Amino acid sequence: MNEHDHLIAMLNRLKLTALRDQLDSLIDEAGRRELTIREALALFCEREIARRDQRRIDMSLGLARFPFVRDLAGFDFAAQPSIDKAQVREIASGRFIANGEAVLLLGPPGVGKTHLAVAIGREAIIAGYSVLFTPATTLVAQLAKAHADGRLEERLTHYSKPKLLIIDELGYLPFEPDAAHVFFRLVSRRYERGAVLLTSNRAVGEWGSVFGDPVVATAILDRLLHHSHVLTIRGDSYRLREKRRSGLLQKSMPVPQAVPA
């Protein structure tokens, strides 16, 4: 075995795949830049870490089950002046995840709540947190079915594992009887231990009708709002705005009303 093959074998054994795959180009780069041995070693380590970080991010993005790709750079803050951009940036830093807090994004349909939720989730993954995205209807249906099948604890454990659980579109459909109670158990399980980001088109004062049980709704809100950041978006739907621009809708046609603060 020659020197090159021996080096490749050692890199394989150490699972330094970025160094293995880029070895010749990295050595050439170190030579061109006239790096010292210490500087070259730092360069090699940086490339290996970058490869591993990207693999982790790609895997975590797949596990998060986002419905689409969105980021903060693509959000039109100018079109939604009710949103405090600095507050969104602070939330996206992930401090609320480290503290096990809740974020509530409230507003009418089409104002960008899900876009922001996905973008914040992507930032969380880049920062090293595990994330799971789920529509509220899917979450509740799975919890209710698990409860009926005697597997509720298993489902609660599944939804309790990620550092950030994103629950999208709470309030678009009312909960089935008893579903509020299993949702309460999940919120209680994550309380002060796992962060929750929740989007809803309903003001928190209306959650009693959403859950079909004002007492349970109050208990859920008590835990969610204890350590929370609430962003209320007031504005027109992006989708209706684009249709108006294209002439598909008359300008006089009403838009969904914003959720009251």
Side-chain angles (χ1 to χ4, degrees):
M1 181 182 294
N2 60 36
E3 183 178 340
H4 177 80
D5 291 341
H6 181 56
L7 183 54
I8 292 296
M10 288 191 292
L11 293 174
N12 277 327
R13 184 173 179 181
L14 293 171
K15 295 183 173 59
L16 299 175
T17 56
L19 290 184
R20 179 199 64 199
D21 296 342
Q22 304 173 40
L23 183 60
D24 291 338
S25 63
L26 284 172
I27 291 174
D28 290 344
E29 182 178 348
R32 286 195 310 273
R33 293 168 57 183
E34 298 182 347
L35 301 181
T36 65
I37 293 177
R38 187 184 299 274
E39 291 170 337
L41 182 58
L43 171 66
F44 297 169
C45 290
E46 288 168 1
R47 296 296 172 82
E48 184 65 42
I49 290 172
R51 167 77 71 84
R52 295 188 180 193
D53 282 347
Q54 191 57 54
R55 284 180 174 173
R56 175 190 60 78
I57 291 170
D58 291 343
M59 180 178 294
S60 296
L61 287 172
L63 293 173
R65 299 180 183 176
F66 294 127
F68 42 62
V69 176
R70 294 291 187 274
D71 56 30
L72 289 180
F75 188 82
D76 189 356
F77 285 96
Q80 301 295 0
S82 64
I83 301 177
D84 185 339
K85 187 175 181 179
Q87 185 181 15
V88 173
R89 294 287 182 186
E90 166 61 22
I91 289 171
S93 72
R95 190 171 291 110
F96 84 98
I97 304 173
N99 295 334
E101 297 171 346
V103 171
L104 275 62
L105 300 179
L106 309 178
V111 295
K113 301 186 300 297
T114 302
H115 181 143
L116 285 176
V118 171
I120 292 169
R122 287 177 63 87
E123 291 295 321
I125 285 173
I126 292 171
Y129 295 107
S130 56
V131 178
L132 178 61
F133 179 102
T134 178
T137 52
T138 300
L139 170 69
V140 172
Q142 290 194 3
L143 290 177
K145 186 177 186 305
H147 186 235
D149 295 343
R151 298 184 298 103
L152 180 59
E153 188 63 29
E154 176 186 326
R155 280 286 92 186
L156 288 174
T157 299
H158 170 75
Y159 284 116
S160 298
K161 283 182 178 179
K163 291 294 185 181
L164 173 61
L165 178 64
I166 300 176
I167 305 171
D168 192 40
E169 298 186 342
L170 180 73
Y172 281 85
L173 293 174
F175 280 36
E176 294 294 327
D178 297 328
H181 294 275
V182 292
F183 186 81
F184 168 74
R185 290 186 60 177
L186 174 62
V187 171
S188 297
R189 179 77 65 93
R190 295 190 64 88
Y191 176 60
E192 294 187 332
R193 291 190 290 272
V196 174
L197 191 159
L198 192 149
T199 76
S200 178
N201 67 324
R202 307 289 291 273
V204 293
E206 301 176 63
W207 283 21
S209 61
V210 172
F211 289 105
D213 188 327
V215 175
V216 176
T218 299
I220 291 170
L221 283 170
D222 179 63
R223 285 156 178 76
L224 287 177
L225 296 178
H226 185 205
H227 306 291
S228 67
H229 310 265
V230 181
L231 282 74
T232 301
I233 307 175
R234 302 176 181 86
D236 290 350
S237 163
Y238 286 110
R239 291 180 286 273
L240 291 182
R241 188 183 303 129
E242 290 302 317
K243 288 184 178 180
R244 282 204 183 93
R245 288 174 182 170
S246 65
L248 294 176
L249 290 177
Q250 296 179 357
K251 291 187 177 181
S252 60
M253 183 175 180
V255 299
Q257 295 298 306
V259 173

